Amino acid sequence: MGNLRRRDYFIAFLFVLPVVVILLSISIFPMMYSLYLSFCKWDIGMGGHRVFIGVGNYLRLFSDARFFNALKNTGRVLLFGVGAQFFLGLLLALLLNRNFRGRSLVVTLFLLPMMISPVVVGCIWKIIYHYQYGPLNYLLNRLGFRSVNWLGSGSVSPYSIVLADIWEWTPFMVITLLAGLQAIPDDLYEAARVDGANRWQIFAGVVFPLLRPVVIIAILIRVMDAFKIFDLVVLLTMGGPGQASESVAFYNYLTGFKYFSMGYASAMSYFQLAVIVAIANVFLRSWRRREML
């Protein structure tokens, strides 16, 4: 019986082995190799050889003004973009969390921006932001305001990217928070009303505490995605004007595939990964702390 079981385990292992090999070759190995490169100076554009420099690339990050500018722009997306997505998403989810005629159609329409390809989203907003012919400036002119150079102004272009990101990803918050709201039993609402609670007290004392795990996960997912924002930057501004709207992901791409500084680009990627992991730990610890109370 024991030999038969060992044979079954061996046969099962043989079936799983190809998947393990593929996973190691396309995931684990590149990750470990890029980690090794982050400790090397390797400028392939100059035909140079890899030179091990330890933490030199990581120390270089802290003196790179362009990197900190890209980090600031990414922070804008995290603070204003994800923040607005959460508040708008929560408001819309609360409005949609009731029965009315055409509710399914309205929910489907809200999901359309999220279902559109990011490339198409970028093209749509590039048309909307057009200085001369864009509908946004047309509306401003009709209201008596001057046209805004949405994509050509160093002070405005970062927020133009944030606005497009809000439009694209608020539906994710809506559908996630709406699912959390619908999971709350109706009996709790009834019990709170019997106790004399008003709408705000029901939301603050019943709805939001029960919705908190969903909120944490939804915000965490969007923070991780927003930290890697790349497509809208490429399609709308290419990081311009100058370097005014570069994100960390876009600067990382330029460093590796335009300037061919693979070692520095790898170090930048792992620094970005470390920040994302740190943010994720903060959110998850907050969740666990709440569960223990």
Side-chain angles (χ1 to χ4, degrees), residues 12-289:
F13 174 76
L14 290 179
F15 277 108
V16 173
L17 183 61
V19 177
V20 174
V21 172
I22 293 174
L23 180 63
L24 289 174
S25 61
I26 67 175
S27 179
I28 306 300
F29 172 74
M31 191 170 182
M32 299 305 297
Y33 184 64
S34 61
L35 179 61
Y36 164 71
L37 287 182
S38 70
F39 296 104
C40 298
K41 180 179 175 60
W42 189 28
D43 297 324
I44 61 176
M46 304 297 293
H49 298 286
R50 291 190 299 272
V51 178
F52 186 81
I53 58 173
V55 295
N57 286 322
Y58 292 94
L59 295 176
R60 179 181 168 187
L61 287 171
F62 295 98
S63 60
D64 188 347
R66 186 172 179 180
F67 172 74
F68 279 100
N69 176 68
L71 196 62
K72 181 179 68 174
N73 290 331
T74 303
R76 285 195 184 102
V77 178
L78 296 177
L79 182 62
F80 298 110
V82 177
Q85 290 163 29
F86 168 68
F87 287 110
L88 288 173
L90 180 59
L91 177 61
L92 292 171
L94 289 171
L95 292 174
L96 293 172
N97 189 37
R98 58 188 67 188
N99 294 320
F100 57 89
R101 184 176 297 177
R103 178 176 174 272
S104 299
L105 176 62
V106 173
V107 172
T108 303
L109 292 175
F110 270 114
L111 293 179
L112 285 177
M114 188 178 66
M115 293 188 288
I116 298 174
S117 168
V119 174
V120 177
V121 171
C123 293
I124 289 172
W125 279 93
K126 194 156 191 174
I127 294 171
I128 292 173
Y129 286 141
H130 196 281
Y131 184 74
Q132 290 181 307
Y133 309 112
L136 190 55
N137 275 340
Y138 173 78
L139 291 175
L140 290 176
N141 296 155
R142 296 289 292 179
L143 294 173
F145 298 99
R146 295 168 55 185
S147 295
V148 177
N149 194 356
W150 296 98
L151 303 179
S153 169
S155 59
V156 177
S157 58
Y159 297 100
S160 300
I161 294 172
V162 171
L163 181 60
D165 189 69
I166 291 171
W167 181 84
E168 182 181 7
W169 289 109
T170 296
F172 170 80
M173 285 289 186
V174 174
I175 196 66
T176 305
L177 297 178
L178 181 59
L181 288 171
Q182 292 184 341
I184 299 175
D186 293 335
D187 296 344
L188 297 179
Y189 292 102
E190 294 299 329
R193 293 191 188 99
V194 169
D195 289 341
N198 56 34
R199 289 185 177 181
W200 169 250
Q201 290 171 331
I202 292 174
F203 174 77
V206 177
V207 175
F208 194 76
L210 294 175
L211 197 62
R212 185 184 177 92
V214 179
V215 168
I216 291 175
I217 294 301
I219 293 178
L220 177 58
I221 292 173
R222 282 303 304 134
V223 165
M224 291 189 295
D225 284 341
F227 205 92
K228 299 177 291 184
I229 188 168
F230 177 81
D231 41 20
L232 288 178
V233 177
V234 172
L235 292 163
L236 292 178
T237 65
M238 285 298 292
Q243 302 158 5
S245 60
E246 282 185 350
S247 65
V248 172
F250 183 69
Y251 180 41
N252 197 352
Y253 159 78
L254 292 179
T255 303
F257 297 101
K258 185 176 180 180
Y259 309 138
F260 299 111
S261 182
M262 288 299 178
Y264 187 47
S266 299
M268 198 181 302
S269 297
Y270 276 94
F271 181 85
Q272 184 177 349
L273 176 63
V275 172
I276 293 174
V277 169
I279 294 173
N281 281 331
V282 170
F283 277 92
L284 295 177
R285 284 182 180 179
S286 174
W287 184 7
R288 294 193 191 102
R289 192 180 303 116

